[in-house]
Amino acid sequence: MGEKPHYWAFLSYSHRDRRFGSWLHRALETYRVPKSLVGGDVPARLHPVFRDREELAASSDLGDRLVEAIESSRNLVVICSPAAAKSKWTNEEIIAFKKAHGDTHIFAAIVDGEPHASGMPGREAEECFPPALRFKIDDDGNITDIPAEPIAADFRPQGDGRKLAKLKLIAGMLGVPLDGLVQRDQQRRNKRLVWLSAASILGMAITTFLAIAAIQARDEARFQREEANGLVQFMLTDLRDKLEPVGRLDTLDVVGERALAYYEKQDLKDLSPDELGQRAAALNLVGEMANLQGDLDGALVAFREAARTTAEQLERFPDDPQRYFDHSQSSFWVGYTAWQRGDNETARRHFNDYLAAAERMVEFDPDNDSWALELASAHVNLGVLDQEEEKHGEATKSFAASENILLRLGANEAKDRDLGFTLAQTYAWAASSLLTSGDVAGALEKRRAEFALYEALYDADQKDFQPLGSRLFAGTEIAALLLMSGKLAESDQQLRTMQPVASQLLAHDPTNTLWQEFAASFYNQQAETALAMGRLPQARAANGRAIALCRSLRETDSSVENWHTTCLAQALSHAALIARRSGNQDQFTQAAERFRREFASAGIRDKFWVIKGSVMIDLAASDPPDRASLLSRIATHDKQSDPRLAALRTFVEEGRDDADGYPVGRMIGR
């Protein structure tokens, strides 16, 4: 056998901390030690750093390779969190390192939880140090009751923060003064701040950097490529986190374009597992940014390229659950973009791939909560498609399967963000399914459970806008259900509590199409409730906002079906009804004709909101309606049990509203 490989550090972490582990691995390997410190035992770079999910992927003997890597590593870096504290394998890796090297050269990178919380009554669950890190071990590798004090770098925002903690960690591993690294890093940061001043400079920086990578000698080219990948990921992650809160994701457009151009030139066969992972992650981020800004064509290009990358990973390592996870994410995004465009056939194909990958992951490790979460999400995706295709029995089974998994994982306690969000979305789609079957009370119960989860997940101090946007949509749906129950005053009150949220989201990032869609839904519902209550000025103002938002969404990307047949159909039908109730016959006639022209094409006129709007406009017209024609139009839609269509059918047949139901008569002024 040849000489064992030498690693500067062994990186140990729980699967839940894999994203931070990927970032730290890249941050350590690409860090350039100041020239003034290089010499003797201090290298120019901390390279290589062992990360088991990459280096062991191709190993046929996991145990032997792991022990060999630990024995060949100078330092041990443990990413500490409550998940790590409970991880059997993280604990075993610490024991193996201590058996080989003793208690020195062990560093704790704290990312979540609290050190030594296991000794604090009531806070035991916050413990972030694994037992083998908190205590020394004996000669046989058994954990003793003698306390150990590992050197710690606190990466939490309330601790050292990422920048200083990274430098503390590197200084400890190198055995050099922290001040020298901090001073050098400050000089680098000053240069970087200048460099980040404008999007054009960002694009030029990437181009220059990638050009340098292309002209290096073979060995140096590999390192430069890693630096380029790290630079792209920095701008797509760290920089995105800085720009998204201030509504300037458009600044990163040039980064996405340059990244796609760079990655398209790569031959996947030449890339290492780590480089493939970086490539897929960066491409999915490019796709997400494009999707948020309404560029579905650009998003699909990035997502498909990411899926090609993760397929290559899976082909190389068919027995690695992490590869199944990576590919499931790419499959989801391709399917999601197809679903946005109404292409359910393509969406179902990719969502089935997502489900198959999730099931395979759970087979590998049934006790892994992260894999179980992916399986729950996969069931929700297919349930949504089943619901849209009127396969209500299948949809109900899918949502129930997801809910059972999530409740078993404790998602209803809202302590874990991902779990809480997935359960909330499951409640949302289950509510839609119940509504389609006519169960308004059941739908309202699910929506309120969804809303409560968003309330628990929202942190105003952290300015966390994702649950805020979801609260707006769920609150709007609650108002709609209350209106369907004939509870107009309660619907109005619910909308009043949501008004500041809609304004806040639009002011924060007016280019975010998801928030535009949520706000448009809110203003459509506000107009409808105000119309039913006879508050015409309020209805008119809300309707004007809804029409403007819906048209803006259509102009962003006309291929998104929902922005047309749901968003705009509601808004234009409300405009006609408001004019009719205001007594302006000319405006009503013009608005009604505009609605008919907009939704006259085949395939569109049979959509739910188009049918509902057209029937209500015809009922509001002064001429006696053709009842047989209206009933035939209602019958063309499969959602016969939806309370709004049921109320319309009753009104057409009998000329009256159902008691305590959707107020058709109030809406049309009769």
Side-chain angles (χ1 to χ4, degrees):
M1 290 186 59
E3 184 181 351
K4 292 182 180 179
H6 176 77
Y7 297 100
W8 262 97
F10 182 98
L11 198 57
S12 176
Y13 57 96
S14 161
H15 172 76
R16 281 182 177 268
D17 301 318
R18 64 187 183 279
R19 290 184 179 176
F20 182 84
S22 177
W23 173 84
L24 184 58
H25 179 253
R26 185 177 66 254
L28 293 176
E29 284 204 328
T30 59
Y31 180 78
R32 292 177 181 271
V33 179
K35 291 182 180 179
S36 60
L37 299 176
V38 175
D41 292 332
V42 179
R45 301 182 185 112
L46 289 169
H47 183 83
V49 171
F50 185 91
R51 185 160 71 104
D52 62 311
R53 284 168 179 79
E54 300 301 340
E55 276 76 359
L56 290 182
S59 174
S60 60
D61 190 349
L62 182 66
D64 290 344
R65 284 290 310 277
L66 186 64
V67 172
E68 183 181 18
I70 290 173
E71 291 177 348
S72 302
S73 298
R74 290 194 182 190
N75 303 282
L76 174 68
V77 178
V78 184
I79 297 177
C80 297
S81 68
K86 299 172 186 174
S87 170
K88 171 186 175 183
W89 296 115
T90 301
N91 203 57
E92 290 296 325
E93 288 168 353
I94 298 169
I95 292 174
F97 187 90
K98 285 188 173 184
K99 287 174 70 176
H101 303 285
D103 289 317
T104 59
H105 299 286
I106 299 176
F107 301 90
I110 303 169
V111 296
D112 194 13
E114 189 67 31
H116 305 298
S118 54
M120 305 175 190
R123 299 184 62 183
E124 291 83 357
E126 299 177 45
E127 178 61 68
C128 67
F129 282 175
L133 195 63
R134 299 198 306 271
F135 299 100
K136 295 185 177 183
I137 64 170
D138 60 23
D139 294 338
D140 296 323
N142 300 312
I143 299 175
T144 69
D145 57 358
I146 303 173
E149 290 296 334
I151 299 172
D154 194 342
F155 285 80
R156 297 174 299 175
Q158 69 270 31
D160 299 319
R162 279 199 178 190
K163 290 185 175 64
L164 181 57
K166 181 188 78 172
L167 295 178
K168 279 187 175 181
L169 188 60
I170 292 171
M173 291 167 60
L174 294 174
V176 300
L178 176 62
D179 290 348
L181 296 187
V182 171
Q183 183 178 8
R184 177 61 177 163
D185 187 72
Q186 183 62 46
Q187 294 170 352
R188 289 174 177 170
R189 186 157 58 249
N190 290 342
K191 292 178 181 178
R192 181 179 291 172
L193 289 174
V194 173
W195 171 69
L196 293 174
S197 59
S200 60
I201 298 176
L202 287 175
M204 291 171 61
I206 298 174
T207 305
T208 302
F209 196 88
L210 299 181
I212 293 173
I215 63 174
Q216 298 297 314
R218 181 174 180 177
D219 291 342
E220 185 65 14
R222 175 69 178 271
F223 176 76
Q224 292 290 349
R225 187 166 63 193
E226 291 175 356
E227 287 254 278
N229 290 338
L231 179 60
V232 171
Q233 278 209 301
F234 160 73
M235 286 184 286
L236 293 175
T237 53
D238 293 42
L239 191 55
R240 175 188 173 181
D241 291 342
K242 293 178 176 64
L243 293 175
E244 189 167 12
V246 295
R248 290 307 311 274
L249 280 181
D250 57 310
T251 306
L252 289 179
D253 286 347
V254 67
V255 179
E257 293 172 7
R258 299 286 186 180
L260 281 175
Y262 168 56
Y263 286 130
E264 284 173 358
K265 296 176 182 177
Q266 293 179 333
D267 186 343
L268 299 186
K269 300 297 183 183
D270 293 337
L271 301 181
S272 70
D274 196 31
E275 288 170 333
L276 286 172
Q278 288 179 331
R279 186 180 197 270
L283 285 165
N284 275 328
L285 284 167
V286 170
E288 286 184 59
M289 287 191 298
N291 189 281
L292 278 174
Q293 296 181 78
D295 178 13
L296 267 64
D297 287 332
L300 196 56
V301 169
F303 291 144
R304 282 175 173 165
E305 191 62 22
R308 191 169 73 90
T309 307
T310 53
E312 171 69 22
Q313 288 182 301
L314 193 56
E315 183 179 345
R316 292 191 198 181
F317 311 118
D319 296 323
D320 186 348
Q322 181 64 37
R323 303 309 170 199
Y324 282 91
F325 171 80
D326 294 339
H327 192 56
S328 73
Q329 304 309 294
S330 301
S331 297
F332 164 77
W333 280 113
V334 176
Y336 177 75
T337 307
W339 173 72
Q340 284 181 296
R341 287 184 153 164
D343 182 3
N344 281 10
E345 182 180 351
T346 300
R348 185 175 291 278
R349 185 167 66 252
H350 287 280
F351 285 169
N352 276 325
D353 288 346
Y354 182 25
L355 177 65
E359 289 175 336
R360 191 78 176 98
M361 287 147 57
V362 171
E363 286 178 14
F364 277 113
D365 187 356
D367 296 325
N368 189 313
D369 290 353
S370 295
W371 299 160
L373 176 58
E374 294 301 318
L375 183 59
S377 299
H379 281 303
V380 171
N381 294 336
L382 288 169
V384 171
L385 290 182
D386 287 332
Q387 180 179 311
E388 290 188 348
E389 295 171 7
E390 310 300 332
K391 301 174 183 177
H392 301 307
E394 294 300 314
T396 299
K397 289 179 183 177
S398 293
F399 296 139
S402 176
E403 186 174 340
N404 288 337
I405 293 171
L406 294 166
L407 290 176
R408 177 177 62 80
L409 296 175
N412 56 319
E413 299 174 7
K415 293 181 179 179
D416 183 285
R417 180 185 175 86
D418 290 341
L419 286 176
F421 263 104
T422 307
L423 180 58
Q425 288 299 299
T426 302
Y427 284 149
W429 287 110
S432 297
S433 183
L434 289 166
L435 178 61
T436 301
S437 63
D439 185 357
V440 179
L444 188 57
E445 180 182 356
K446 290 293 185 184
R447 283 292 181 189
R448 282 176 166 154
E450 175 198 6
F451 187 84
L453 272 171
Y454 294 139
E455 291 270 68
L457 290 167
Y458 177 60
D459 186 345
D461 293 335
Q462 296 297 321
K463 297 182 179 179
D464 189 355
F465 283 88
Q466 186 179 1
L468 192 64
S470 299
R471 278 175 64 204
L472 175 62
F473 187 79
T476 300
E477 290 298 300
I478 290 172
L481 290 165
L482 290 169
L483 182 63
M484 290 178 222
S485 306
K487 299 175 181 178
L488 277 63
E490 290 184 42
S491 176
D492 180 61
Q493 181 57 38
Q494 174 70 28
L495 291 166
R496 288 178 185 274
T497 63
M498 293 291 100
Q499 176 76 64
V501 180
S503 301
Q504 185 179 2
L505 287 174
L506 289 176
H508 178 68
D509 188 354
T511 66
N512 188 313
T513 55
L514 181 62
W515 294 348
Q516 287 183 51
E517 186 176 352
F518 287 169
S521 177
F522 167 79
Y523 286 119
N524 266 327
Q525 188 57 51
Q526 190 178 57
E528 187 174 19
T529 298
L531 177 64
M533 298 180 75
R535 297 176 178 172
L536 299 184
Q538 182 184 3
R540 194 175 296 110
N543 179 241
R545 295 188 183 97
I547 289 176
L549 285 166
C550 294
R551 290 205 180 279
S552 175
L553 288 168
R554 281 286 313 281
E555 290 171 5
T556 301
D557 191 332
S558 60
S559 69
V560 182
E561 183 180 278
N562 188 54
W563 294 346
H564 188 218
T565 59
T566 299
C567 188
L568 193 58
Q570 285 188 78
L572 293 184
S573 65
H574 291 159
L577 296 174
I578 292 167
R580 180 69 181 85
R581 289 207 63 182
S582 299
N584 193 321
Q585 186 61 34
D586 289 341
Q587 282 188 6
F588 169 72
T589 301
Q590 292 172 6
E593 183 57 31
R594 180 174 57 179
F595 179 90
R596 295 186 183 104
R597 285 198 311 269
E598 186 81 36
F599 305 104
S601 61
I604 291 181
R605 58 174 173 261
D606 295 334
K607 298 297 181 180
F608 176 85
W609 288 102
V610 178
I611 291 174
K612 175 182 174 295
S614 65
V615 170
M616 293 193 73
I617 287 173
D618 286 352
L619 284 173
S622 56
D623 295 334
D626 182 342
R627 297 185 185 279
S629 173
L630 294 182
L631 289 173
S632 175
R633 207 179 310 165
I634 294 171
T636 61
H637 205 283
D638 293 331
K639 293 182 179 178
Q640 291 298 294
S641 298
D642 185 284
R644 290 159 293 197
L645 288 187
L648 277 172
R649 186 169 55 249
T650 299
F651 194 91
V652 171
E653 290 175 338
E654 304 177 21
R656 65 172 179 81
D657 284 334
D658 274 335
D660 300 326
Y662 186 67
V664 178
R666 285 176 171 270
M667 295 285 293
I668 63 176
R670 294 187 184 179

